[in-house]
Amino acid sequence: MQSIKQLIQEGEHQQQDFKFRIDDSKKIARTLVAFANTDGGRLLIGVKDNGKIAGVDPTEEIHMIEAAVDMYSKPKLEFQSRVWQEDMKLVLEISIEKTANRPVLALDEEGKWKAYVRRKDHTLLANKILLSTWKLERFDQKKPQKIGEEETRLLNIIDQNPQITLSKIYRLSSLDKSNIDRLLPLFICWGLVSMEMNENGTFYQIR
């Protein structure tokens, strides 16, 4: 089993985030939801961004986490907790499993329920194409033996413009936006197109 020092040495990544302490239950709910919607993950509370252990009172922090999942996640997230002790300081570990039925939603600053995902060490808002893809993934989306003319034209645009954004696809295609919004999730489910999300935006390319 890894020690707390070994976990911290991994740094922040797609399945791990450091928090000095929890000041905002609503905000931390987004990180927890993002873990659930991606690959699962753990939150190490009482650790600074540089990896230095600051320590926390686990009882206080667990109340903030409970508020986050009770009030600001839908459906309510389940979590596991563990307290580590290192150099007379305590670190609270919160573990979130990947959910089987995406999306899990978190309440934003405007009181709206939204889905979030984890990409490297960033928590990002899930876009409409990803949301539609998740819906399609609940059912078996078999690739048809023959691709139609509209689908072929759209695939050619993506093929000729690597790392293309959705807005550029809209501009270059003669298809209605609603048609593009319908086809892109299908292409992703069929394994024809990949979608890369990062802090700079969302990009599509042929697989």
Side-chain angles (χ1 to χ4, degrees), residues 10 29 49 63 73 87 120 137 154 160 166:
E10 293 180 9
D49 288 342
H63 285 318
S73 72
D87 298 329
K120 295 184 178 179
E137 285 176 347
L154 186 55
Q160 292 162 13
L166 182 59

Side-chain angles (χ1 to χ4, degrees), residues 3-134:
S3 68
I4 184 62
K5 283 189 173 180
Q6 289 173 319
L7 293 179
I8 291 171
Q9 283 173 358
E10 293 180 9
E12 293 182 304
H13 52 73
Q14 191 153 300
Q15 292 182 275
Q16 180 163 282
D17 201 17
F18 300 157
K19 290 297 175 188
F20 175 55
R21 64 173 176 267
I22 306 301
D23 296 316
D24 188 336
S25 290
K26 184 185 289 186
K27 189 174 181 181
I28 203 61
R30 296 173 209 163
T31 301
L32 302 179
V33 161
F35 282 146
N37 285 330
T38 311
D39 298 315
R42 59 178 168 262
L43 194 62
L44 299 181
I45 308 170
V47 180
K48 296 182 179 180
D49 288 342
N50 62 8
K52 185 176 180 179
I53 296 177
V56 289
D57 179 347
T59 304
E60 291 183 4
E61 302 301 321
I62 204 79
H63 285 318
M64 298 295 285
I65 295 296
E66 288 173 345
V69 300
D70 288 343
M71 300 168 59
Y72 302 121
S73 72
K74 185 172 71 173
K76 177 182 173 180
L77 279 174
E78 300 293 331
F79 69 90
Q80 293 182 321
S81 63
R82 174 176 180 173
V83 177
W84 297 86
Q85 181 172 335
E86 186 69 35
D87 298 329
M88 303 302 292
K89 296 177 181 177
L90 301 179
V91 173
L92 176 63
E93 176 186 345
I94 300 296
S95 298
I96 300 289
E97 296 290 331
K98 178 180 178 180
T99 184
N101 296 306
R102 296 180 290 187
V104 180
L105 307 176
L107 202 62
D108 73 358
E109 297 298 337
E110 298 176 353
K112 297 179 179 178
W113 291 99
K114 294 183 178 179
Y116 296 84
V117 291
R118 189 81 174 168
R119 293 294 183 267
K120 295 184 178 179
D121 59 344
H122 295 279
T123 295
L124 305 174
L125 183 66
N127 59 53
K128 61 182 179 180
I129 301 299
L130 182 55
L131 293 173
S132 295
T133 302
W134 285 343

